[in-house]
Amino acid sequence: MNQSLIQLQGIVKKFPGVLANDHVDLDICSGEIHAILGENGSGKSTLMSILAGLYRPDDGNILVNGVEQKFRSPKDAIDCGIGMIHQHFKLVEPFTVAENITLGEKQTSFILASKKLNDRIIELGIKYGLEINPDAKIWQLSVGEKQRVEIVRMLYRGSKVLVLDEPTAVLTPQEAAELFENLRKMAMAGCAVVLITHKLNEVEAVADRVTVLRQGKVAGVLEKHQINAQEMVRLMVGRSVVMQYARSSSSVGKVVLELNKVKALNDMGLPCLREMSLRVREGEVLGLAGVSGNGQREMAEIIAGLRLIQSGEVLLNGQSISNLSPRAIIDLGVAYVPEDRLGMGLVPDLNTLDNLILKNYHRPEYSGRWLLKPRAVQQNADTLVKQYQVKLASLLQPVKLMSGGNLQKLLLAREISSSPKLMVIVYPARGLDIGATEAVHKLLLELKQQKTAILLISEDLDEIFKLADRVGVVFNGQLTGEFPVEQADLEEVGLLMTGSRTARERINDNEPAHS
Amino acid sequence: MSIQEFLIPLLATAITAGTPILYAAIGELITERAGIINLGVEGIMLVGAVSGFMAAIATGSPWMGLLASMLAGGAVALIHAFLTITLRANQVVSGLSLTIFGTGLSGYLGKSYIGIPVAKPFDIMPLGPLAKIPIIGPIFFQHDILVYISYGLVIVLWYYMYRTRPGLNLRALGENPAAMDALGINVFLLRYIYVVVGGMFGGVGGAYLSLAYAPSWLENMTAGRGWIAVALVIFALWNPLRALLGSYLFGGIDALGFRLQVLNVQISPFFLKMLPYLFTVLVLVVVVARHKGRLSTPGALGLPYDREER
Ligand SMILES: Nc1ncnc2c1ncn2[C@@H]1O[C@H](COP(=O)(O)OP(=O)(O)OP(=O)(O)O)[C@@H](O)[C@H]1O
Ligand SMILES: [Mg+2]
């Protein structure tokens, strides 16, 4: 192995009530792709934020090329050639790609020279296969493209160490493969790449070395020849995890949800659904694959009553629910787990008690004429937290302090406990570690046994193939393909998701669009 | 009386009446572009007006008065910066208390200055040949120097915001400070600077009232112009050119009321005085309705930034 480019020694970081990093050591060499693994809340992002100068460690040293450095702000880290792509992109949405790339650049002209900048971006794009239109506005881009902007920005700044925090959580398999190819190119060019991910197959495919974190400590370091899924899981969670579920063929009943030629606009006022039609039956999981930004989120919002449709109709058990109020739709038995758990699903600053009664606080079980019934509220929370094994410090703590996996379990607990007829769930496992993913998936499969119709929207094809009975593909606001899961082909679905013409044509020839 | 005799003086007054609002709005616009709401503008203008007036009397130079008003406005804004940026206090509360503070402080400081004239205010100074252009000249180029400076200021600020690198940073600061921070830009320092500079312009807005528009000191002489400036920034969609337009519009309404009164039109003077404020409300309703709530508000406006916040 090459000489260490970056050495972290004995890093300690405390947050109020949590020890996020507990004497962590990490070696990163130039030319390698170094994966960092760990459950939710094991301190991966914290450690990398320390390396990027964003957080200040409470103890420990950072050595760059063997020289100790004290990072007082991200600027110091950038000056040492460290660039990080955060879990939540740090892009200015109303700005153009070029503006975002030049933001914060030093030793350059006072006046913006857009021509020169654009040429440079295009040149870099060609060199690394990361083509991007410099004049596009960020909000117009798909998540994959946004990520490309972040990478080009780091390259543009000449970063030597590239840290990517869960970059593939939002990518199609093809996009992910492309990303890895690019990362490999950068490593060959002498950069060091640090990759955080929850997907073990990716680690097996690209990593040269793996550091596994567990509860803020290093659980182990694996060299290339030692990398295998079982070992990584053992280090991460200390037990084995089910990777494949038995597919129980529950009896499929009558149609619960039906969308007929629904048209709607997105937040920008542009069409996001163009004649979308689909059906979900009792006891069935319809898995909708698609790159985010193709209308899935908007569709889920329509079903939950949060967005108006322009034409077409939405039926629940044969009854129209088009443009009804969310409360009316909830009362009809629709449960909704949105993509944005902390923004839309839960209220971050409220505690667990309150979050669990958000949808039924007005029911007589929980409220009298004027006041809530504190005992009932407490009891409800106690039971749900126990039943769904939500790990939390206290029922009275704001939920924003919980880890991602536990938040998702809490949300599912609230939604499932209403015994819904239809469950709409968006990206259920995004950002969850394998343990939490397993728990969430099990909950969904149990729900299916209880004859609930489930509309599962996800970008993660593995997840869809594991859970769904039928697989649909959404592209550009339409259903571009639908297969029973046994007949679906991973490769083909991936191609359909990116709207690749050949695949779409094939579908149009063989299998006229479902309606 | 011909249209010319009525309209040209009206438009000329629209500009002088709009200038204090314009300075204050520019200050607020810069502040809000950096992501901080400062509702203390009214107080800052008053403090600027009184300290400018006092300094002008003490030194006999309106320029020293102007300088004093900038320092005073900047100092009050610095309090806001400390409270909202360093201590991450609620920006609305901090701003409101500054207005109350500024109103009280200016009243106290100005007690003994009521009714005293300034020896040398900013005088009208026709701008050479430009002033002789028919129609345009009398409307735009027969004013005091602060009006001419404000023309330049708006253009320079527009160019700065949309064409230069620091201007790009300024806009990004109000949109996504976390991104700026991660890119190695000192969010705290920049926000401090822009809040203080914004306060300086607020101070100048006040000084324009006490040293040029109506050279004297009266308690509460801003009469809500600071609040109009805050509303104007929204009307302007955070663009300095639109702020200029908006200021003159308000100035025009103000001037119209005044003119009608002079002409002895039978409308209650109280009603005429109310017009600019009524107009503020109407304009805001129209702008917000037209953009259906999708204004180009800086994304992080009003949110304190904390690097380690979850
Ligand atoms: N800014 C913060 N304030 C308070 N606690 C925090 C903060 N950031 C992280 N934590 C806590 O520190 C621990 C580690 O969090 P971190 O985000 O590093 O985990 P992670 O390994 O990146 O998890 P994930 O896989 O969910 O991204 C968690 O318990 C988390 O709740
Ligand atoms: Mg993380």
Side-chain angles (χ1 to χ4, degrees):
Chain A
M1 189 84 4
N2 298 335
Q3 216 243 293
S4 294
L5 187 57
I6 303 278
Q7 280 170 287
L8 299 182
Q9 298 174 337
I11 298 288
V12 176
K13 178 71 187 175
K14 297 187 192 96
F15 287 115
V18 228
L19 191 52
N21 288 150
D22 184 5
H23 296 93
V24 176
D25 298 327
L26 180 69
D27 263 11
I28 303 164
C29 308
S30 55
E32 76 167 345
I33 298 183
H34 193 127
I36 303 208
L37 270 176
E39 295 192 275
N40 293 122
S42 56
K44 307 179 294 293
S45 298
T46 304
L47 186 66
M48 289 305 117
S49 297
I50 288 171
L51 178 59
L54 207 55
Y55 292 175
R56 287 224 228 160
D58 296 316
D59 196 8
N61 305 317
I62 302 173
L63 276 66
V64 179
N65 283 322
V67 183
E68 184 173 346
Q69 300 281 350
K70 282 259 176 286
F71 293 162
R72 249 170 284 110
S73 75
K75 185 175 170 298
D76 298 339
I78 291 168
D79 292 344
C80 288
I82 297 167
M84 175 158 175
I85 296 182
H86 294 264
Q87 210 162 351
H88 308 284
F89 295 149
K90 306 248 180 202
L91 295 170
V92 183
E93 296 269 329
F95 285 15
T96 65
V97 170
E99 285 172 336
N100 267 284
I101 288 175
T102 187
L103 256 187
E105 201 188 343
K106 274 165 220 80
Q107 294 146 0
T108 40
S109 55
F110 178 75
I111 289 161
L112 293 170
S114 48
K115 180 78 180 64
K116 228 171 67 191
L117 177 65
N118 286 7
D119 290 349
R120 186 90 170 78
I121 292 170
I122 290 168
E123 181 191 318
L124 269 176
I126 293 170
K127 182 167 163 206
Y128 288 97
L130 294 160
E131 271 114 36
I132 193 111
N133 172 10
D135 292 319
K137 295 260 200 276
I138 298 296
W139 58 262
Q140 298 171 321
L141 303 182
S142 74
V143 186
E145 289 171 314
K146 285 184 192 173
Q147 186 174 60
R148 215 175 292 166
V149 178
E150 289 258 19
I151 297 176
V152 172
R153 175 156 77 187
M154 291 200 306
L155 292 172
Y156 183 83
R157 293 182 146 216
S159 302
K160 282 268 148 286
V161 182
L162 311 169
V163 181
L164 298 99
D165 196 349
E166 299 194 28
T168 57
V170 291
L171 300 184
T172 59
Q174 280 89 353
E175 283 177 315
E178 201 178 298
L179 171 70
F180 291 139
E181 222 170 90
N182 291 326
L183 293 183
R184 183 52 71 193
K185 270 188 222 163
M186 291 170 211
M188 303 253 255
C191 294
V193 177
V194 182
L195 178 71
I196 299 181
T197 177
H198 288 297
K199 298 182 184 165
L200 302 181
N201 54 351
E202 292 176 359
V203 177
E204 287 177 314
V206 298
D208 299 314
R209 214 145 50 112
V210 184
T211 298
V212 183
L213 292 184
R214 184 157 152 211
Q215 288 169 7
K217 293 195 187 71
V218 175
V221 180
L222 301 177
E223 297 294 335
K224 179 121 194 142
H225 63 273
Q226 299 171 305
I227 296 175
N228 71 69
Q230 264 150 5
E231 182 62 10
M232 290 189 286
V233 171
R234 196 188 59 76
L235 287 174
M236 252 159 78
V237 287
R239 67 184 168 94
S240 66
V241 169
V242 187
M243 300 296 224
Q244 190 70 50
Y245 314 107
R247 185 178 301 283
S248 54
S249 50
S250 61
S251 57
V252 170
K254 62 180 173 38
V255 175
V256 175
L257 174 75
E258 182 168 356
L259 262 64
N260 272 332
K261 301 201 170 164
V262 172
K263 283 191 186 173
L265 301 180
N266 65 10
D267 292 341
M268 310 295 173
L270 306 171
C272 64
L273 290 187
R274 311 159 202 267
E275 310 227 321
M276 170 64 104
S277 301
L278 57 80
R279 286 169 183 186
V280 195
R281 290 163 211 277
E282 264 181 357
E284 173 189 60
V285 180
L286 172 62
L288 276 190
V291 181
S292 77
N294 276 293
Q296 304 96 309
R297 182 172 58 94
E298 286 84 356
M299 183 175 72
E301 286 172 5
I302 286 168
I303 299 170
L306 298 169
R307 182 179 292 274
L308 298 181
I309 62 174
Q310 289 191 304
S311 66
E313 57 179 353
V314 186
L315 301 172
L316 187 74
N317 287 321
Q319 181 193 348
S320 169
I321 57 165
S322 319
N323 298 344
L324 285 187
S325 77
R327 167 81 62 91
I329 291 175
I330 290 169
D331 289 344
L332 286 170
V334 175
Y336 172 44
V337 177
E339 163 185 27
D340 182 8
R341 292 154 208 166
L342 269 185
M344 245 170 136
L346 299 163
V347 183
D349 287 305
L350 290 186
N351 63 31
T352 306
L353 294 178
D354 295 339
N355 268 294
L356 283 174
I357 56 162
L358 275 187
K359 281 193 168 168
N360 43 18
Y361 66 91
H362 57 288
R363 298 265 169 75
E365 302 104 274
Y366 299 115
S367 82
R369 206 175 154 76
W370 300 108
L371 300 173
L372 287 174
K373 296 175 177 162
R375 196 160 315 140
V377 172
Q378 173 84 35
Q379 208 170 25
N380 172 57
D382 281 337
T383 348
L384 289 181
V385 164
K386 204 169 294 159
Q387 186 183 343
Y388 290 88
Q389 298 171 1
V390 185
K391 266 182 257 158
L392 40 70
S394 149
L395 289 175
L396 299 175
Q397 221 179 28
V399 296
K400 69 175 175 189
L401 297 176
M402 293 166 62
S403 83
N406 282 303
L407 278 174
Q408 187 70 328
K409 278 196 232 167
L410 189 71
L411 187 49
L412 274 168
R414 186 182 77 206
E415 296 299 321
I416 294 179
S417 65
S418 67
S419 3
K421 300 205 171 55
L422 170 70
M423 164 70 90
V424 180
I425 184 162
V426 188
Y427 310 132
R430 183 185 274 181
L432 298 194
D433 63 50
I434 46 172
T437 304
E438 182 196 19
V440 166
H441 285 173
K442 274 195 181 145
L443 287 175
L444 284 177
L445 289 175
E446 275 168 32
L447 192 63
K448 173 178 135 179
Q449 292 300 319
Q450 294 156 21
K451 307 212 79 146
T452 301
I454 300 178
L455 178 59
L456 164 72
I457 296 176
S458 177
E459 291 163 325
D460 183 347
L461 290 183
D462 293 337
E463 174 172 53
I464 288 192
F465 278 74
K466 257 186 231 167
L467 297 176
D469 303 304
R470 280 188 299 131
V471 180
V473 183
V474 198
F475 179 73
N476 205 6
Q478 276 177 326
L479 204 62
T480 49
E482 193 183 342
F483 325 85
V485 71
E486 306 81 36
Q487 292 168 26
D489 172 53
L490 199 73
E491 185 81 2
E492 184 172 352
V493 171
L495 283 173
L496 279 171
M497 283 167 75
T498 50
S500 138
R501 257 186 81 235
T502 49
R504 216 180 338 158
E505 275 165 5
R506 200 160 37 151
I507 288 299
N508 288 344
D509 294 345
N510 303 346
E511 221 170 323
H514 161 92
S515 63
Chain B
M1 177 192 288
S2 72
I3 277 285
Q4 278 237 340
E5 271 169 63
F6 179 73
L7 210 57
I8 290 181
L10 177 73
L11 293 178
T13 323
I15 288 186
T16 42
T19 300
I21 305 179
L22 177 60
Y23 274 110
I26 292 282
E28 182 67 10
L29 192 146
I30 295 173
T31 310
E32 291 195 10
R33 277 289 186 173
I36 308 279
I37 300 177
N38 187 351
L39 295 184
V41 194
E42 178 81 2
I44 289 177
M45 280 181 85
L46 280 168
V47 171
V50 78
S51 38
F53 190 77
M54 288 161 63
I57 294 226
T59 60
S61 150
W63 290 105
M64 289 317 282
L66 191 73
L67 185 69
S69 74
M70 286 176 78
L71 293 179
V76 177
L78 187 63
I79 303 177
H80 188 61
F82 178 70
L83 287 173
T84 59
I85 302 170
T86 304
L87 301 184
R88 292 188 273 276
N90 181 306
Q91 298 179 7
V92 171
V93 174
S94 163
L96 287 176
S97 46
L98 278 194
T99 284
I100 297 168
F101 167 69
T103 311
L105 181 70
S106 62
Y108 171 72
L109 291 176
K111 263 274 179 306
S112 49
Y113 288 84
I114 297 175
I116 304 181
V118 206
K120 276 184 70 189
F122 285 105
D123 281 324
I124 293 190
M125 183 182 107
L127 205 60
L130 289 175
K132 300 211 178 69
I133 309 173
I135 305 180
I136 308 272
I139 297 178
F140 292 100
F141 300 112
Q142 297 188 5
H143 297 296
D144 54 85
I145 189 156
L146 291 185
V147 171
Y148 307 140
I149 292 178
S150 73
Y151 297 157
L153 181 68
V154 167
I155 295 166
V156 168
L157 180 62
W158 181 87
Y159 188 82
Y160 178 79
M161 274 172 54
Y162 295 104
R163 291 287 180 272
T164 72
R165 187 168 297 281
L168 183 72
N169 286 353
L170 166 59
R171 285 184 289 134
L173 208 53
E175 289 292 346
N176 192 343
M180 298 296 282
D181 194 18
L183 290 172
I185 285 159
N186 194 331
V187 171
F188 296 94
L189 179 67
L190 278 185
R191 283 193 158 176
Y192 258 93
I193 291 174
Y194 284 120
V195 169
V196 169
V197 168
M200 289 178 160
F201 284 122
V204 173
Y208 187 81
L209 286 173
S210 64
L211 295 177
Y213 188 64
S216 62
W217 165 251
L218 270 177
E219 204 169 324
N220 241 330
M221 76 184 304
T222 51
R225 285 184 178 82
W227 294 110
I228 292 188
V230 172
L232 206 82
V233 175
I234 301 171
F235 165 80
L237 304 176
W238 294 268
N239 178 335
L241 297 182
R242 281 183 63 120
L244 177 101
L245 192 80
S247 301
Y248 294 162
L249 213 60
F250 284 103
I253 305 268
D254 207 1
L256 183 70
F258 189 66
R259 285 271 139 193
L260 291 179
Q261 233 169 302
V262 172
L263 292 177
N264 252 328
V265 179
Q266 288 306 309
I267 305 175
S268 157
F270 297 106
F271 180 80
L272 294 177
K273 277 204 169 147
M274 185 185 73
L275 278 182
Y277 308 98
L278 189 67
F279 190 65
T280 309
V281 175
L282 288 181
V283 157
L284 275 191
V285 170
V286 170
V287 169
V288 174
R290 236 215 355 237
H291 292 78
K292 297 221 179 60
R294 240 182 285 127
L295 298 172
S296 43
T297 315
L301 184 60
L303 306 174
Y305 176 63
D306 178 359
R307 188 181 281 168
E308 300 205 353
E309 173 82 58
R310 186 65 145 164

